[in-house]
Amino acid sequence: MSYTGPDFEPPQPRRSPLRRPLTVAVAALVPGALLGWGVYAAVGGSDDGAPGDAGSPAASSAAAEPPTAGKPSPSDSPGDSPSDAAPLKGKVVVIDPGHNPTNFEHASDINRKVNVGTHWKECDTTGTATNAGWPEAKFTLDVAHRLRTLLEERGATVKLTQDGDRAYGPCVDERAHIGNEAHADAAISIHADGSGAGNRGFHVIMPGAVHDGDADTRAIVAPSAQLGESVAGDFARVTGSEPSNYLGDGTGLVTRTDLGGLNLSTVPKVFIECGNMRDSEDVARLTSGSWRQKAAQGMSEGIVSFLRG
């Protein structure tokens, strides 16, 4: 309840005995402060400095601030250590984009037989295609380029068996030799399958034990299995794709002894069939650029995990 009006005057606060001296002191200080600012502006101040400009009060304040909580300073970032920034430095990865977009123009060349250790088979094939005619060879080269970029960003030395720079091939035996001669720490051959409609999903093919003629995979069976398991796990996680429903008993892992690219390899190597180009659900993924980027990312992470042990 308050009492105001002509008949009532609220009590007045008592004057402090220090009030007048303080007023005088403040009045005396104001001219001095203005003079000091004038000297600062003439000597070191910025006439038009936006926040953050050198010499401005905002810049001085920002420079003195510690890193924002939860955001490490550059010197504290774990990514700055050589092992984290380039975990694949010194590692060599060979990427083998399956088939070649112009193989179909060189039927006699790709049909000639080459020795794959256990038997003789065609140099190469044209690969499969979607029902709309988009070829596997273009898919594999696109994913290979994306994968190369990701691996090089992690510090790896990357070599492709072909980069659209050959009239055809290379033949399956040469594809293996390219990885061998590069002394690859890991090699991966990228493909898409051409199975029947309703068959969908990815699978990773690993070499079985072969010791016949020029083929001897015994030393690479175990590390190739580790590479295959690593790639399959990360590929599924990153892409959201399911393992093949028609090969591999739901594991996404298949072992074969009839592929020259594996039989003749002396370095850890796997094939990956990223999906079925004759199944509409898989085709929706395979023909999507954003999904192909995920496919490359999944392969990259699998390879990194394998090479880092």
Side-chain angles (χ1 to χ4, degrees):
M1 186 178 294
S2 63
Y3 296 90
T4 57
D7 298 328
F8 184 80
E9 189 79 16
Q12 298 296 316
R14 297 179 57 191
R15 281 182 175 272
S16 166
L18 295 177
R19 182 173 180 178
R20 181 174 181 79
L22 283 173
T23 302
V24 173
V26 169
L29 286 171
V30 169
L34 292 174
L35 177 61
W37 171 253
V39 172
Y40 166 80
V43 176
S46 172
D47 293 336
D48 57 356
D53 282 0
S56 72
S60 300
S61 174
E65 286 183 355
T68 304
K71 295 183 179 179
S73 67
S75 60
D76 294 334
S77 174
D80 283 342
S81 68
S83 61
D84 288 329
L88 301 187
K89 186 175 182 181
K91 300 294 186 180
V92 177
V93 179
V94 169
I95 303 172
D96 177 29
H99 312 290
N100 186 311
T102 55
N103 270 356
F104 70 95
E105 298 176 352
H106 302 271
S108 61
D109 293 305
I110 67 170
N111 284 329
R112 68 183 176 84
K113 300 294 181 67
V114 297
N115 187 349
V116 298
T118 57
H119 59 287
W120 291 71
K121 70 182 301 182
E122 291 78 9
C123 157
D124 202 0
T125 70
T126 59
T128 189
T130 65
N131 291 332
W134 191 52
E136 177 188 1
K138 288 190 176 180
F139 166 81
T140 64
L141 196 55
D142 177 82
V143 175
H145 288 161
R146 297 170 187 267
L147 178 57
R148 174 175 62 188
T149 297
L150 293 170
L151 291 172
E152 287 180 341
E153 287 174 351
R154 305 301 295 273
T157 297
V158 180
K159 183 176 182 62
L160 269 61
T161 58
Q162 60 93 8
D163 196 7
D165 52 354
R166 300 176 60 123
Y168 67 92
C171 296
V172 292
D173 57 340
E174 185 182 351
R175 290 173 186 268
H177 294 324
I178 290 171
N180 299 343
E181 292 168 5
H183 301 289
D185 296 284
I188 185 167
S189 189
I190 302 172
H191 291 264
D193 209 358
S195 188
N199 292 340
R200 63 180 62 97
F202 75 91
H203 62 277
V204 175
I205 305 172
M206 305 170 297
V210 175
H211 185 210
D212 190 356
D214 294 333
D216 187 355
T217 62
R218 291 174 297 176
I220 67 163
V221 167
S224 295
Q226 294 170 0
L227 172 61
E229 291 168 4
S230 184
V231 168
D234 282 320
F235 188 87
R237 178 179 57 80
V238 176
T239 64
S241 296
E242 296 292 331
S244 169
N245 64 3
Y246 60 102
L247 288 171
D249 297 323
T251 66
L253 299 172
V254 176
T255 299
R256 289 177 61 174
T257 58
D258 62 322
L259 299 176
L262 296 179
N263 286 357
L264 299 176
S265 181
T266 58
V267 300
K269 184 175 182 179
V270 297
F271 280 41
I272 181 167
E273 298 279 2
C274 298
N276 179 13
M277 299 196 93
R278 297 305 178 90
D279 177 78
S280 59
E281 289 189 27
D282 275 5
V283 167
R285 292 176 170 178
L286 299 171
T287 55
S288 164
S290 61
W291 186 88
R292 294 195 298 275
Q293 185 64 30
K294 290 180 181 178
Q297 183 70 40
M299 294 178 207
S300 173
E301 293 188 16
I303 291 169
V304 170
S305 296
F306 167 72
L307 291 179
R308 296 188 76 175

